[in-house]
Amino acid sequence: MKNIFIMVMSGICMMPLLTACGNSADTVHTADLFAMDTYMNIKAYGKDAEAAVTEAEARIRALEQTFSVTNDASDIRKINQADGQPVTVSADTVSVLQTAQEMHHESGGALRISLYPVLRTWGFTTGAYSVPEADEIAELLQNVDDTKISVDGQTVRCPAGMEIDLGAVAKGYTGDAVMEIMQAHHISSAIISLGGNVQTRGSKPDGSAWTVGITDPFAPDMLIGTVSVRDKAVITSGNYERYFTGEDGRRYWHILDPADGYPADNGLVSVTVIGSCGAECDALSTALFVEGTEQAVQHWRRNGDFEMILVTSDGELLLTEGIAADYNAKNEMPCRVVQRNEEP
Ligand code: ADP
Ligand code: MG
């Protein structure tokens, strides 16, 4: 009798567990990590979620080594220290370089990976921030020219004295790599945040869209709104993400305008790009931030396989027409929807 009681009780206790395990969508696995100089979070649902998340973490760590500007063994250090000689790099680096080259072209040079020496002199890569002398910036700019970097198969040549940094694209590419792992593990529901770059796979386990918060650039602990997405990357570049205040009391941020080597200040304080490819969205968010309001809108009209949410420095929100219906405002910021066809 006692044994039957125990069997019945354990049967009852087992039931919820079996139910939870029986429905693969209910099995969730998450990981928090610090990599690529930022906090990251991975969340996957499905019976293979744990294996997928473990593999994703390892892939992120490996790509961090590949793209690092400081690690002596990284592809980027090899390129930067080659003194003009050809170097062989990984397929991952080739892919990021190609995205950067395409975006350089598409953005009229706004995205420029060879700006690295200028970024370093501002201290954005080391944290030793200071406003450089104008002469120093002008001199460094003379050796900034992405068109002189050649990629042939897995062989890269970068002229002596020129150095690159893939910081504007690498996290988006890394997100794509994580999503490939999710696909290989048959995960149909996953969301990752790589330092604020959000990428989603499928929808939430209940079939509804993912909700992604858009930070208020004027109050970064608040949201200006949220967007509902499925299978999309939502990637933001803003002037509030990494900056310092100079002795002159001005704010200097980490996205530089290649035109003069100073923080890009062309009417935008934040650019969010929504699209299918993380690497492209990441490259775009940086490029459009540099291009500024008018050029960014023109860029979208020319090449619009993405949507965007722009916040202007005078406090206006611009939404492209393809995302307007999925945007949910959380504050009173004046908002305008930008149409595909130019208004008369
Ligand atoms: P975050 O990495 O902070 O999410 P971004 O994707 O916009 O933001 O990338 C900014 C990084 O890109 C900078 O930290 C710097 O390494 C690099 N960068 C800054 N300005 C440019 C530029 N005009 N072109 C290419 N890379 C840039
Ligand atoms: Mg970017």
Side-chain angles (χ1 to χ4, degrees):
M1 183 68 192
K2 197 177 161 201
N3 282 348
I4 291 172
F5 178 75
I6 289 171
M7 276 170 65
V8 170
M9 283 312 287
S10 57
I12 290 167
C13 293
M14 283 297 287
M15 264 186 321
L17 285 175
L18 285 173
T19 310
C21 301
N23 181 355
S24 63
D26 286 343
T27 310
V28 57
H29 199 81
T30 63
D32 292 299
L33 63 155
F34 188 84
M36 301 183 174
D37 209 21
T38 192
Y39 290 97
M40 300 186 170
N41 174 266
I42 310 169
K43 191 178 208 174
Y45 296 82
K47 66 176 169 19
D48 219 9
E50 184 169 1
V53 170
T54 305
E55 198 179 315
E57 276 187 84
R59 181 85 164 109
I60 291 171
R61 296 276 177 221
L63 288 175
E64 179 181 35
Q65 297 300 308
T66 304
F67 300 139
S68 162
V69 283
T70 51
N71 173 354
D72 268 338
S74 83
D75 277 355
I76 305 312
R77 281 286 276 190
K78 278 201 282 181
I79 294 169
N80 289 347
Q81 296 186 324
D83 211 20
Q85 296 303 307
V87 294
T88 304
V89 299
S90 64
D92 293 314
T93 300
V94 170
S95 179
V96 178
L97 280 170
Q98 281 167 345
T99 302
Q101 285 187 323
E102 279 159 26
M103 196 54 63
H104 174 77
H105 183 68
E106 215 175 278
S107 66
L111 188 88
R112 218 170 288 198
I113 57 175
S114 59
L115 265 176
Y116 176 53
V118 187
L119 279 156
R120 186 173 46 202
T121 200
W122 279 94
F124 288 118
T125 55
T126 57
Y129 303 123
S130 72
V131 180
E133 295 293 331
D135 292 357
E136 192 193 345
I137 295 180
E139 200 180 320
L140 289 171
L141 278 177
Q142 298 202 338
N143 217 8
V144 171
D145 185 353
D146 282 20
T147 63
K148 293 201 172 129
I149 301 160
S150 80
V151 182
D152 182 9
Q154 284 183 224
T155 305
V156 178
R157 273 173 214 267
C158 180
M162 189 180 286
E163 291 178 79
I164 62 164
D165 151 48
L166 300 181
V169 191
K171 269 187 286 160
Y173 178 83
T174 302
D176 292 336
V178 168
M179 288 306 170
E180 276 171 27
I181 291 170
M182 297 297 159
Q183 186 173 14
H185 284 270
H186 308 289
I187 302 288
S188 54
S189 188
I191 185 162
I192 60 173
S193 168
L194 311 186
N197 281 7
V198 176
Q199 289 180 237
T200 62
R201 179 164 169 79
S203 52
K204 284 192 211 164
D206 67 4
S208 62
W210 297 103
T211 307
V212 181
I214 309 297
T215 301
D216 183 346
F218 300 107
D221 52 350
M222 311 280 281
L223 298 181
I224 50 166
T226 59
V227 272
S228 300
V229 293
R230 295 165 202 266
D231 272 317
K232 288 279 185 297
V234 181
I235 294 188
T236 302
S237 289
N239 74 343
Y240 56 89
E241 288 171 326
R242 195 168 294 219
Y243 65 88
F244 70 97
T245 306
E247 283 169 12
D248 54 4
R250 292 183 56 181
R251 183 192 281 201
Y252 295 96
W253 50 87
H254 71 316
I255 301 173
L256 301 185
D257 190 338
D260 60 7
Y262 283 79
D265 195 5
N266 299 317
L268 293 171
V269 287
S270 127
V271 175
T272 299
V273 177
I274 299 118
S276 310
C277 171
E280 252 172 59
C281 290
D282 199 357
L284 265 170
S285 71
T286 311
L288 297 170
F289 185 94
V290 173
E291 288 183 64
T293 319
E294 299 309 317
Q295 297 292 328
V297 168
Q298 295 310 326
H299 188 150
W300 173 75
R301 286 191 174 130
R302 273 196 321 269
N303 265 313
D305 61 345
F306 63 93
E307 299 299 330
M308 56 185 191
I309 300 170
L310 308 178
V311 181
T312 67
S313 32
D314 45 16
E316 192 186 16
L317 180 69
L318 304 184
L319 303 173
T320 52
E321 60 177 332
I323 198 68
D326 300 319
Y327 183 79
N328 190 354
K330 295 271 181 224
N331 72 6
E332 302 292 304
M333 192 176 279
C335 175
R336 186 157 59 91
V337 176
V338 181
Q339 305 296 331
R340 178 71 65 187
N341 297 317
E342 213 149 340
E343 291 102 76

